[in-house]
Amino acid sequence: MTCLFVVFLVFVVFTPCLSSRITTKKDCIFNVLDYGASGDGETDDTNAFKAAWDEACGATKNTPTLLIPIGKTFKLQPVHFKGPCKSQSVHVNLQGIIIAPRRDDDWKWSDNDRATWIRFYDINGLVISGGGVIDGKGDSWWSCKSNKKCPKPSALSINCCPDLKLMGLTSINSPRNHLSINQCNGSFISDLRISAPDDSPNTDGVDISESSHMVLQNSIIGTGDDCIAINSGSSFINITGVICGPGHGISIGSLGKNGSYATVEEVNVTNCTFVETTNGVRIKTWKGGSGYARKITFKDIILQHVQNPVIITQQYVDNHSFGSSSPKRNKTNYGSSSAVALSDITYKNVRGTSESEEAIQLICDKNVGCTNIVLEGINIKSSNGGKTHATCQNAHGTFSSCTPNVPCLD
Ligand SMILES: *[C@@H]1O[C@H](CO)[C@@H](O)[C@H](O)[C@H]1NC(C)=O
Ligand SMILES: *[C@@H]1O[C@H](CO)[C@@H](O)[C@H](O)[C@H]1NC(C)=O
Ligand SMILES: *[C@@H]1O[C@H](CO)[C@@H](O)[C@H](O)[C@H]1NC(C)=O
Ligand SMILES: *[C@@H]1O[C@H](CO)[C@@H](O)[C@H](O)[C@H]1NC(C)=O
Ligand SMILES: *[C@@H]1O[C@H](CO)[C@@H](O)[C@H](O)[C@H]1NC(C)=O
Ligand SMILES: *[C@@H]1O[C@H](CO)[C@@H](O)[C@H](O)[C@H]1NC(C)=O
Ligand SMILES: *[C@@H]1O[C@H](CO)[C@@H](O)[C@H](O)[C@H]1NC(C)=O
């Protein structure tokens, strides 16, 4: 009798989303405070988050919601939120603040994975919203220059989460890149705020890889590295309404590192503004790679004091890739090795100011080259009132209404 009663209680209290007949929608909210999180910014709240997640992920109906409430600061060790979950969609309502331990605190790595602080993995219909903040306390990592001695983690990685929705998240001061999206087809990402100092190393805003049919819109990103990097295996990517700066701009690639085969196609970057970035719109591929990047459009782009507004580097090398004697980005030093093919690249309505006079650089490989590059309605003036110019190598295509003119395109 007692035993049955307890079983009944456990059923009602701990499986609240099992049946909508005996519970209300409210019962599908799994508040981390109810699982022992303190939210004082000091206590390790990881276990409470894991316990709340396990129940949210195991719940079957009514779109279970993991609630991280407002007005609290939660300190989390590296943590994996794993699926597959039982319901078709799981919400993470992040309203509060999540902070990482500082580097000299005792990081308790999970699953021997030291690449990521917070990971979401293998979850269908994951929705993350709520306007909250994650703070990677990156300043405690950046001073350690050696990536070997202290491999820095990404703040947030989302892998294998089809139909992801990520809205209204603020991410500051990641030890390495802020947000990595990998193998998530059909994602909708909106209203991100990402920031880190302009001299913080490798703090990319958003890295996208192996994902297709993604929209990333209306976001403000300023870091020490790429605002957005679109890497291999990505297609049908729509980036729009992004304000980037400081940082290294929006980049396709780098692709083809260490001889790899890379593919990117069908990417639109539209209505984006670059403020005092080192690059504006960039395509960067490594010497010795293979594959392609094609059908890429940069349209309605505004540049404010950008160092290299329009740049293609098809045969990138650095000192580490070919031994210490390789000259860095030596534009004349193109060997006969392979390259990632670049084609159907369109720049339309790109205007504003360049810090360098070389506003357009299309530097392509002499064997593979870049084909069907189209420049239309370009107006890039020098910040200091001087004249801008374009440089090309092995770049083929057409231009019209361009300042600077691009006569080097053939
Ligand atoms: C994602 O989309 C790409 C391109 O459409 C497809 O090749 C890939 O199999 C899809 N991945 C998943 C996990 O559905
Ligand atoms: C890119 O823009 C073109 C022309 O506006 C449009 O036809 C195409 O569907 C867009 N692709 C993506 C992935 O948004
Ligand atoms: C992609 O962006 C363009 C704006 O250039 C917009 O017209 C189009 O509808 C977007 N595509 C999707 C799938 O949202
Ligand atoms: C362009 O992007 C800005 C944000 O940078 C947004 O406010 C505006 O609505 C966008 N315009 C169009 C036409 O999409
Ligand atoms: C580069 O590729 C080679 C051969 O595929 C591999 O053995 C090596 O580990 C790779 N190096 C890096 C840094 O990925
Ligand atoms: C690359 O190597 C050259 C020659 O050894 C050296 O002068 C340069 O400083 C190196 N660059 C970087 C970024 O390490
Ligand atoms: C670039 O490479 C060419 C050819 O190998 C060489 O002559 C030149 O000195 C190199 N330039 C620099 C800056 O290393």
Side-chain angles (χ1 to χ4, degrees):
M1 178 66 195
T2 319
C3 196
L4 260 180
F5 181 66
V6 169
V7 167
F8 178 71
L9 245 188
V10 166
F11 180 81
V12 169
V13 174
F14 293 106
T15 57
C17 295
L18 202 60
S19 164
S20 53
R21 259 191 312 140
I22 55 163
T23 60
T24 61
K25 194 161 198 306
K26 185 170 149 281
D27 293 315
C28 289
I29 293 173
F30 299 85
N31 186 335
V32 293
L33 294 176
D34 295 338
Y35 293 81
S38 82
D40 62 5
E42 298 284 341
T43 311
D44 176 359
D45 286 328
T46 317
N47 286 336
F49 274 62
K50 279 184 182 163
W53 171 258
D54 285 347
E55 297 218 349
C57 187
T60 50
K61 279 195 179 164
N62 284 347
T63 310
T65 298
L66 178 75
L67 175 63
I68 300 145
I70 198 163
K72 300 271 179 190
T73 300
F74 302 93
K75 189 159 146 186
L76 294 191
Q77 289 288 340
V79 59
H80 290 192
F81 297 104
K82 275 200 190 107
C85 296
K86 290 217 168 117
S87 68
Q88 287 181 353
S89 172
V90 181
H91 287 207
V92 175
N93 190 351
L94 169 58
Q95 301 181 353
I97 300 171
I98 296 176
I99 61 171
R102 297 186 66 77
R103 181 167 80 89
D104 47 15
D105 284 356
D106 180 25
W107 276 62
K108 299 183 181 72
W109 298 100
S110 56
D111 297 6
N112 296 322
D113 168 15
R114 293 181 173 233
T116 306
W117 171 38
I118 300 173
R119 184 190 295 282
F120 288 90
Y121 179 76
D122 196 11
I123 303 156
N124 281 324
L126 175 66
V127 179
I128 303 177
S129 63
V133 177
I134 68 171
D135 177 352
K137 301 287 174 194
D139 62 313
S140 65
W141 291 86
W142 301 327
S143 56
C144 176
K145 300 285 181 222
S146 158
N147 277 329
K148 273 220 175 86
K149 223 171 87 189
C150 43
K152 303 170 181 74
S154 308
L156 177 61
S157 287
I158 304 181
N159 315 124
C160 304
C161 293
D163 303 315
L164 167 74
K165 287 191 173 55
L166 173 59
M167 296 164 297
L169 178 74
T170 295
S171 176
I172 62 172
N173 297 335
S174 173
R176 199 160 55 98
N177 56 331
H178 287 75
L179 170 62
S180 155
I181 307 272
N182 167 258
Q183 294 187 39
C184 298
N185 286 359
S187 304
F188 176 81
I189 300 170
S190 184
D191 298 278
L192 301 180
R193 299 287 177 274
I194 297 178
S195 79
D198 62 357
D199 59 354
S200 56
N202 306 118
T203 50
D204 284 359
V206 184
D207 289 333
I208 299 163
S209 60
E210 299 175 277
S211 297
S212 84
H213 297 93
M214 171 185 293
V215 176
L216 195 175
Q217 66 176 22
N218 302 349
S219 295
I220 301 176
I221 304 173
T223 71
D225 207 320
D226 295 335
C227 288
I228 299 170
I230 299 163
N231 293 301
S232 185
S234 304
S235 60
F236 296 93
I237 308 288
N238 199 348
I239 312 272
T240 188
V242 172
I243 298 171
C244 167
H248 296 181
I250 294 182
S251 178
I252 310 290
S254 54
L255 302 175
K257 192 172 186 177
N258 193 26
S260 62
Y261 176 81
T263 63
V264 170
E265 66 184 324
E266 297 280 5
V267 176
N268 286 347
V269 176
T270 61
N271 184 29
C272 291
T273 300
F274 297 84
V275 184
E276 294 172 14
T277 49
T278 53
N279 306 300
V281 290
R282 179 178 209 191
I283 300 175
K284 177 178 168 187
T285 67
W286 289 82
K287 184 183 175 80
S290 63
Y292 57 82
R294 64 193 180 200
K295 299 183 187 161
I296 292 161
T297 299
F298 301 102
K299 187 169 156 249
D300 304 332
I301 303 293
I302 296 172
L303 308 155
Q304 297 174 7
H305 303 282
V306 172
Q307 198 72 38
N308 306 303
V310 172
I311 178 164
I312 292 179
T313 314
Q314 195 178 27
Q315 284 283 41
Y316 184 79
V317 291
D318 75 4
N319 284 359
H320 306 294
S321 51
F322 291 92
S324 58
S325 61
S326 300
K328 198 182 186 201
R329 263 183 71 199
N330 182 342
K331 289 178 190 171
T332 56
N333 187 23
Y334 297 130
S336 57
S337 71
S338 65
V340 177
L342 302 178
S343 62
D344 307 323
I345 319 282
T346 301
Y347 303 88
K348 215 167 173 175
N349 188 25
V350 177
R351 50 194 70 235
T353 54
S354 174
E355 287 293 290
S356 66
E357 294 182 357
E358 199 178 26
I360 299 176
Q361 297 174 55
L362 310 171
I363 310 300
C364 303
D365 175 61
K366 70 172 188 285
N367 297 316
V368 178
C370 304
T371 54
N372 195 25
I373 294 183
V374 177
L375 295 121
E376 218 179 290
I378 311 295
N379 189 352
I380 309 174
K381 301 217 155 91
S382 163
S383 298
N384 62 23
K387 271 203 140 82
T388 52
H389 65 267
T391 355
C392 319
Q393 281 172 23
N394 311 304
H396 310 279
T398 59
F399 68 97
S400 65
S401 312
C402 289
T403 306
N405 239 324
V406 200
C408 54
L409 206 56
D410 55 41

Coordinates of all heavy atoms in Angstrom, one line a residue, residues 280-348:
G280 N 36.5 42.7 -44.5 CA 35.1 42.9 -44.6 C 34.6 41.5 -45.0 O 34.4 40.6 -44.2
V281 N 34.3 41.3 -46.3 CA 33.8 40.0 -46.8 C 35.0 39.2 -47.4 O 35.7 39.7 -48.3 CB 32.7 40.2 -47.8 CG1 31.5 40.7 -47.1 CG2 33.0 41.1 -48.9
R282 N 35.2 38.1 -46.9 CA 36.5 37.3 -47.2 C 36.2 35.9 -47.6 O 35.3 35.2 -47.1 CB 37.4 37.3 -45.9 CG 38.7 36.6 -46.1 CD 39.5 36.7 -44.9 NE 40.9 36.6 -45.3 CZ 41.9 36.4 -44.4 NH1 41.7 36.3 -43.1 NH2 43.1 36.4 -44.8
I283 N 37.0 35.4 -48.5 CA 37.1 34.0 -48.8 C 38.5 33.6 -48.7 O 39.4 34.2 -49.3 CB 36.6 33.7 -50.2 CG1 35.1 34.2 -50.4 CG2 36.7 32.2 -50.5 CD1 34.5 34.0 -51.8
K284 N 38.8 32.6 -47.9 CA 40.1 32.2 -47.5 C 40.3 30.7 -47.7 O 39.6 29.9 -47.0 CB 40.4 32.6 -46.1 CG 41.8 32.2 -45.6 CD 41.9 32.8 -44.2 CE 43.1 32.2 -43.4 NZ 43.1 32.7 -42.0
T285 N 41.1 30.2 -48.6 CA 41.4 28.8 -48.7 C 42.9 28.5 -48.7 O 43.7 29.4 -49.0 CB 40.8 28.3 -50.1 OG1 41.5 28.8 -51.1 CG2 39.3 28.6 -50.2
W286 N 43.2 27.3 -48.2 CA 44.6 27.0 -48.0 C 45.3 26.4 -49.2 O 44.6 25.6 -50.0 CB 44.8 25.9 -46.9 CG 44.5 26.5 -45.5 CD1 43.2 26.7 -44.9 CD2 45.4 26.9 -44.6 NE1 43.4 27.2 -43.7 CE2 44.7 27.3 -43.4 CE3 46.8 27.0 -44.5 CZ2 45.4 27.8 -42.3 CZ3 47.5 27.5 -43.4 CH2 46.7 27.9 -42.3
K287 N 46.5 26.7 -49.4 CA 47.3 26.0 -50.4 C 47.3 24.5 -50.1 O 47.4 24.1 -49.0 CB 48.8 26.5 -50.3 CG 49.8 26.1 -51.3 CD 51.1 26.6 -50.9 CE 52.2 26.1 -51.8 NZ 52.3 26.8 -53.1
G288 N 47.1 23.7 -51.2 CA 47.2 22.3 -51.1 C 45.8 21.6 -50.8 O 45.7 20.4 -50.8
G289 N 44.8 22.5 -50.6 CA 43.4 21.9 -50.4 C 42.8 21.5 -51.7 O 43.3 21.8 -52.8
S290 N 41.6 21.0 -51.6 CA 40.8 20.7 -52.8 C 39.3 20.8 -52.5 O 38.9 21.0 -51.4 CB 41.1 19.3 -53.4 OG 40.7 18.3 -52.4
G291 N 38.5 20.7 -53.6 CA 37.0 20.9 -53.4 C 36.6 22.3 -54.0 O 37.3 22.7 -55.0
Y292 N 35.6 22.9 -53.4 CA 35.1 24.1 -54.0 C 34.4 25.0 -53.0 O 33.9 24.5 -52.0 CB 34.2 23.8 -55.2 CG 33.0 22.9 -54.8 CD1 31.8 23.5 -54.2 CD2 33.0 21.5 -55.0 CE1 30.8 22.7 -53.9 CE2 32.0 20.7 -54.6 CZ 30.9 21.3 -54.1 OH 29.8 20.5 -53.7
A293 N 34.3 26.3 -53.4 CA 33.4 27.2 -52.7 C 32.7 27.9 -53.9 O 33.4 28.5 -54.7 CB 34.1 28.2 -51.8
R294 N 31.4 27.9 -54.0 CA 30.8 28.4 -55.2 C 29.3 29.0 -54.9 O 28.8 28.6 -53.8 CB 30.7 27.4 -56.3 CG 29.8 26.2 -56.0 CD 30.1 25.1 -57.0 NE 29.2 23.9 -56.6 CZ 29.4 22.7 -57.0 NH1 30.5 22.4 -57.7 NH2 28.6 21.7 -56.6
K295 N 28.8 29.8 -55.8 CA 27.5 30.4 -55.6 C 27.4 31.1 -54.3 O 26.6 30.8 -53.4 CB 26.4 29.3 -55.7 CG 26.4 28.6 -57.1 CD 25.3 27.6 -57.2 CE 25.5 26.9 -58.5 NZ 24.8 25.6 -58.6
I296 N 28.3 32.1 -54.2 CA 28.3 32.9 -52.9 C 28.1 34.4 -53.3 O 28.7 34.9 -54.2 CB 29.7 32.7 -52.3 CG1 29.9 31.3 -51.8 CG2 30.0 33.7 -51.2 CD1 31.2 30.8 -51.6
T297 N 27.2 35.0 -52.6 CA 26.8 36.4 -52.9 C 27.0 37.2 -51.7 O 26.5 36.9 -50.6 CB 25.3 36.4 -53.4 OG1 25.2 35.7 -54.6 CG2 24.9 37.9 -53.7
F298 N 27.6 38.4 -51.8 CA 27.7 39.4 -50.8 C 27.0 40.6 -51.3 O 27.4 41.2 -52.3 CB 29.2 39.7 -50.5 CG 30.0 38.6 -50.1 CD1 30.9 37.9 -51.0 CD2 30.0 38.1 -48.8 CE1 31.7 36.9 -50.6 CE2 30.8 37.0 -48.3 CZ 31.6 36.4 -49.3
K299 N 25.9 41.0 -50.7 CA 25.1 42.0 -51.3 C 24.6 43.0 -50.2 O 24.4 42.6 -49.0 CB 23.8 41.4 -51.9 CG 22.9 42.3 -52.7 CD 21.9 41.4 -53.4 CE 20.7 42.2 -53.7 NZ 19.5 41.8 -53.0
D300 N 24.5 44.3 -50.5 CA 24.1 45.4 -49.6 C 25.0 45.4 -48.4 O 24.6 45.1 -47.2 CB 22.6 45.2 -49.2 CG 21.7 45.2 -50.4 OD1 22.1 45.8 -51.5 OD2 20.6 44.6 -50.4
I301 N 26.3 45.7 -48.6 CA 27.3 45.6 -47.6 C 27.8 47.0 -47.3 O 28.1 47.8 -48.3 CB 28.5 44.8 -48.0 CG1 28.1 43.3 -48.4 CG2 29.6 44.8 -47.0 CD1 27.5 42.5 -47.3
I302 N 27.8 47.4 -46.0 CA 28.3 48.8 -45.7 C 29.6 48.6 -44.9 O 29.7 47.8 -44.0 CB 27.3 49.5 -44.8 CG1 26.0 49.8 -45.7 CG2 27.9 50.8 -44.3 CD1 24.9 50.4 -44.9
L303 N 30.6 49.4 -45.3 CA 32.0 49.3 -44.7 C 32.3 50.6 -44.1 O 32.2 51.7 -44.7 CB 33.0 49.0 -45.8 CG 32.7 47.9 -46.8 CD1 33.4 48.1 -48.1 CD2 33.1 46.6 -46.2
Q304 N 32.8 50.5 -42.8 CA 33.3 51.7 -42.2 C 34.7 51.5 -41.7 O 34.9 50.7 -40.8 CB 32.3 52.1 -41.0 CG 30.9 52.4 -41.4 CD 30.0 52.6 -40.2 OE1 30.4 52.7 -39.0 NE2 28.7 52.7 -40.5
H305 N 35.6 52.1 -42.4 CA 37.0 52.1 -42.0 C 37.5 50.6 -41.9 O 38.0 50.2 -40.9 CB 37.3 52.8 -40.6 CG 36.9 54.2 -40.7 ND1 37.7 55.2 -41.3 CD2 35.8 54.8 -40.2 CE1 37.1 56.3 -41.2 NE2 35.9 56.2 -40.5
V306 N 37.3 49.9 -42.9 CA 37.7 48.4 -43.0 C 39.1 48.3 -43.6 O 39.3 48.9 -44.7 CB 36.6 47.6 -43.7 CG1 37.1 46.2 -43.9 CG2 35.3 47.7 -42.9
Q307 N 39.9 47.5 -43.0 CA 41.3 47.4 -43.6 C 41.3 46.7 -45.0 O 41.9 47.3 -45.9 CB 42.1 46.5 -42.6 CG 43.6 46.6 -42.7 CD 44.1 47.9 -42.3 OE1 43.7 48.5 -41.3 NE2 45.1 48.5 -43.0
N308 N 40.7 45.5 -45.1 CA 40.7 44.8 -46.4 C 39.2 44.5 -46.7 O 38.7 43.4 -46.4 CB 41.4 43.5 -46.3 CG 42.8 43.7 -45.8 OD1 43.6 44.4 -46.4 ND2 43.2 43.0 -44.8
P309 N 38.5 45.5 -47.4 CA 37.0 45.3 -47.5 C 36.6 44.0 -48.3 O 35.8 43.3 -47.9 CB 36.6 46.6 -48.3 CG 37.7 47.5 -47.9 CD 38.9 46.8 -47.8
V310 N 37.2 43.8 -49.5 CA 36.9 42.7 -50.3 C 38.1 41.9 -50.5 O 39.1 42.4 -51.1 CB 36.3 43.2 -51.6 CG1 36.1 42.0 -52.6 CG2 34.9 43.9 -51.4
I311 N 38.2 40.6 -50.1 CA 39.4 39.9 -50.2 C 39.2 38.4 -50.4 O 38.4 37.8 -49.8 CB 40.3 40.2 -48.9 CG1 41.6 39.4 -49.0 CG2 39.6 39.9 -47.6 CD1 42.7 39.8 -48.0
I312 N 39.9 37.9 -51.4 CA 40.0 36.5 -51.7 C 41.4 36.1 -51.6 O 42.3 36.7 -52.2 CB 39.4 36.1 -53.1 CG1 37.9 36.3 -53.2 CG2 39.7 34.6 -53.4 CD1 37.3 36.0 -54.5
T313 N 41.7 35.1 -50.8 CA 43.0 34.5 -50.7 C 42.9 33.0 -51.0 O 42.4 32.3 -50.1 CB 43.7 34.7 -49.3 OG1 43.4 36.0 -48.9 CG2 45.1 34.4 -49.3
Q314 N 43.3 32.6 -52.2 CA 43.0 31.2 -52.5 C 44.2 30.3 -52.1 O 44.0 29.1 -52.0 CB 42.8 31.1 -54.1 CG 42.2 29.7 -54.5 CD 41.9 29.7 -55.9 OE1 42.5 30.3 -56.8 NE2 40.9 28.8 -56.3
Q315 N 45.4 30.8 -51.9 CA 46.5 30.0 -51.6 C 47.2 30.4 -50.3 O 48.3 30.7 -50.3 CB 47.5 30.0 -52.8 CG 47.1 29.2 -54.0 CD 47.3 27.7 -53.8 OE1 47.1 27.2 -52.8 NE2 47.9 27.1 -54.8
Y316 N 46.3 30.4 -49.3 CA 46.9 30.8 -48.0 C 47.9 29.8 -47.5 O 47.7 28.6 -47.5 CB 45.7 30.9 -47.0 CG 46.1 31.5 -45.6 CD1 46.3 32.8 -45.4 CD2 46.3 30.6 -44.6 CE1 46.6 33.3 -44.2 CE2 46.7 31.1 -43.3 CZ 46.9 32.5 -43.2 OH 47.2 33.0 -41.9
V317 N 49.0 30.4 -46.9 CA 49.9 29.5 -46.2 C 50.3 30.3 -44.9 O 50.2 31.5 -44.9 CB 51.2 29.3 -47.0 CG1 51.0 28.4 -48.2 CG2 51.9 30.5 -47.5
D318 N 50.7 29.5 -43.9 CA 51.3 30.2 -42.8 C 52.6 29.5 -42.4 O 52.9 28.5 -43.0 CB 50.3 30.4 -41.6 CG 50.1 29.1 -40.9 OD1 50.7 28.1 -41.2 OD2 49.3 29.2 -39.9
N319 N 53.2 30.0 -41.5 CA 54.5 29.5 -41.1 C 54.5 28.1 -40.6 O 55.4 27.3 -40.6 CB 55.2 30.4 -40.0 CG 55.7 31.6 -40.7 OD1 55.6 31.8 -41.9 ND2 56.3 32.5 -39.8
H320 N 53.3 27.7 -40.1 CA 53.2 26.3 -39.5 C 52.8 25.3 -40.5 O 53.0 24.1 -40.3 CB 52.2 26.3 -38.4 CG 52.5 27.4 -37.4 ND1 53.6 27.3 -36.6 CD2 51.9 28.5 -37.1 CE1 53.7 28.4 -35.8 NE2 52.6 29.1 -36.1
S321 N 52.2 25.7 -41.7 CA 51.7 24.7 -42.6 C 52.8 24.0 -43.4 O 52.6 22.9 -43.9 CB 50.6 25.3 -43.4 OG 51.0 26.4 -44.0
F322 N 53.8 24.7 -43.7 CA 54.8 24.2 -44.6 C 56.2 24.4 -44.0 O 57.2 24.7 -44.7 CB 54.8 24.7 -46.0 CG 53.6 24.3 -46.7 CD1 52.4 25.1 -46.7 CD2 53.5 23.1 -47.4 CE1 51.3 24.7 -47.4 CE2 52.4 22.7 -48.1 CZ 51.3 23.5 -48.1
G323 N 56.3 24.2 -42.7 CA 57.6 24.4 -42.0 C 57.9 25.8 -41.8 O 57.3 26.7 -42.3
S324 N 58.9 26.1 -40.9 CA 59.1 27.4 -40.4 C 59.6 28.4 -41.5 O 59.6 29.6 -41.3 CB 60.0 27.4 -39.2 OG 61.2 26.8 -39.6
S325 N 60.0 27.9 -42.6 CA 60.6 28.8 -43.6 C 59.6 29.4 -44.5 O 59.9 30.3 -45.3 CB 61.7 28.1 -44.4 OG 61.1 27.0 -45.1
S326 N 58.3 28.9 -44.5 CA 57.3 29.4 -45.4 C 57.0 30.8 -45.2 O 56.6 31.2 -44.1 CB 56.1 28.6 -45.3 OG 56.3 27.2 -45.6
P327 N 57.1 31.7 -46.1 CA 56.7 33.1 -45.9 C 55.2 33.2 -45.8 O 54.5 32.5 -46.4 CB 57.2 33.8 -47.2 CG 57.4 32.7 -48.2 CD 57.6 31.4 -47.5
K328 N 54.8 34.0 -44.9 CA 53.4 34.2 -44.6 C 52.7 35.0 -45.7 O 53.1 36.1 -46.1 CB 53.2 34.9 -43.3 CG 51.8 34.6 -42.8 CD 51.6 35.4 -41.5 CE 50.2 35.0 -40.9 NZ 49.7 35.9 -40.0
R329 N 51.6 34.4 -46.3 CA 50.9 35.1 -47.4 C 51.7 35.7 -48.4 O 51.6 36.9 -48.8 CB 50.0 36.1 -46.7 CG 48.6 35.6 -46.5 CD 47.7 36.7 -46.0 NE 47.4 37.7 -46.9 CZ 46.9 38.9 -46.7 NH1 46.8 39.2 -45.4 NH2 46.6 39.7 -47.6
N330 N 52.7 35.0 -48.9 CA 53.6 35.6 -49.9 C 52.9 35.5 -51.2 O 52.7 34.4 -51.8 CB 54.9 34.7 -49.9 CG 55.9 35.3 -51.0 OD1 55.5 36.0 -51.9 ND2 57.1 34.9 -50.8
K331 N 52.4 36.6 -51.7 CA 51.5 36.7 -52.9 C 52.1 36.2 -54.1 O 51.5 35.9 -55.1 CB 51.0 38.1 -53.0 CG 50.0 38.5 -51.9 CD 49.5 39.9 -52.2 CE 48.8 40.4 -50.9 NZ 48.5 41.8 -51.0
T332 N 53.5 36.2 -54.2 CA 54.1 35.8 -55.4 C 54.5 34.3 -55.4 O 54.9 33.7 -56.3 CB 55.3 36.6 -55.7 OG1 56.2 36.5 -54.6 CG2 55.0 38.0 -55.9
N333 N 54.4 33.7 -54.2 CA 55.0 32.4 -54.0 C 53.9 31.3 -54.1 O 53.6 30.6 -53.2 CB 55.6 32.3 -52.6 CG 56.4 31.0 -52.4 OD1 56.8 30.4 -53.4 ND2 56.5 30.6 -51.1
Y334 N 53.4 31.2 -55.3 CA 52.4 30.1 -55.6 C 53.0 28.9 -56.2 O 53.5 29.0 -57.4 CB 51.2 30.7 -56.4 CG 50.5 31.8 -55.7 CD1 50.3 33.0 -56.4 CD2 50.1 31.6 -54.4 CE1 49.6 34.0 -55.7 CE2 49.5 32.7 -53.8 CZ 49.3 33.8 -54.4 OH 48.7 34.9 -53.7
G335 N 52.9 27.8 -55.6 CA 53.5 26.6 -56.1 C 52.5 26.0 -57.1 O 51.5 26.6 -57.4
S336 N 52.7 24.8 -57.5 CA 51.8 24.2 -58.5 C 50.8 23.2 -57.8 O 50.2 22.4 -58.5 CB 52.6 23.5 -59.6 OG 53.4 22.5 -58.9
S337 N 50.8 23.3 -56.5 CA 49.9 22.3 -55.7 C 48.5 22.7 -55.9 O 48.1 23.7 -56.5 CB 50.3 22.2 -54.3 OG 50.0 23.4 -53.6
S338 N 47.6 21.8 -55.4 CA 46.2 22.0 -55.6 C 45.6 23.2 -54.8 O 46.3 23.8 -54.0 CB 45.4 20.7 -55.3 OG 45.6 20.5 -53.9
A339 N 44.3 23.5 -55.1 CA 43.7 24.6 -54.4 C 42.2 24.3 -54.4 O 41.7 23.6 -55.3 CB 44.0 25.9 -55.0
V340 N 41.4 24.9 -53.5 CA 40.0 24.8 -53.5 C 39.5 25.8 -54.6 O 39.9 26.9 -54.7 CB 39.4 25.3 -52.1 CG1 37.9 25.4 -52.1 CG2 40.0 24.4 -51.0
A341 N 38.7 25.2 -55.5 CA 38.2 26.0 -56.7 C 37.1 27.0 -56.2 O 36.3 26.7 -55.4 CB 37.6 25.1 -57.7
L342 N 37.2 28.2 -56.7 CA 36.3 29.3 -56.4 C 35.5 29.8 -57.6 O 36.2 30.1 -58.6 CB 37.0 30.5 -55.7 CG 37.9 30.1 -54.5 CD1 38.6 31.4 -53.9 CD2 37.0 29.6 -53.4
S343 N 34.2 29.7 -57.6 CA 33.5 30.2 -58.7 C 32.1 30.8 -58.3 O 31.6 30.5 -57.2 CB 33.2 29.0 -59.7 OG 32.5 28.0 -59.1
D344 N 31.6 31.5 -59.3 CA 30.2 32.2 -59.1 C 30.2 33.0 -57.8 O 29.4 32.7 -56.9 CB 29.1 31.1 -59.1 CG 29.2 30.3 -60.4 OD1 29.5 30.9 -61.4 OD2 28.9 29.1 -60.3
I345 N 31.1 33.9 -57.6 CA 31.2 34.8 -56.5 C 30.7 36.2 -56.9 O 31.3 36.8 -57.8 CB 32.6 34.9 -55.9 CG1 33.4 33.5 -56.0 CG2 32.7 35.5 -54.6 CD1 33.1 32.6 -55.0
T346 N 29.6 36.6 -56.2 CA 29.1 37.9 -56.6 C 29.2 39.0 -55.5 O 28.9 38.6 -54.3 CB 27.6 37.7 -57.0 OG1 27.5 36.8 -58.1 CG2 26.9 39.1 -57.4
Y347 N 29.6 40.2 -55.8 CA 29.6 41.3 -54.9 C 28.7 42.4 -55.5 O 29.0 42.8 -56.6 CB 31.0 41.8 -54.7 CG 32.1 40.8 -54.3 CD1 32.7 40.0 -55.2 CD2 32.3 40.6 -52.9 CE1 33.7 39.1 -54.8 CE2 33.3 39.7 -52.5 CZ 33.9 38.9 -53.4 OH 34.8 38.0 -53.0
K348 N 27.7 42.7 -54.7 CA 26.7 43.7 -55.3 C 26.4 44.7 -54.2 O 26.1 44.4 -53.1 CB 25.4 42.9 -55.6 CG 24.7 43.4 -56.8 CD 23.7 42.3 -57.2 CE 22.8 42.8 -58.3 NZ 21.9 41.7 -58.7

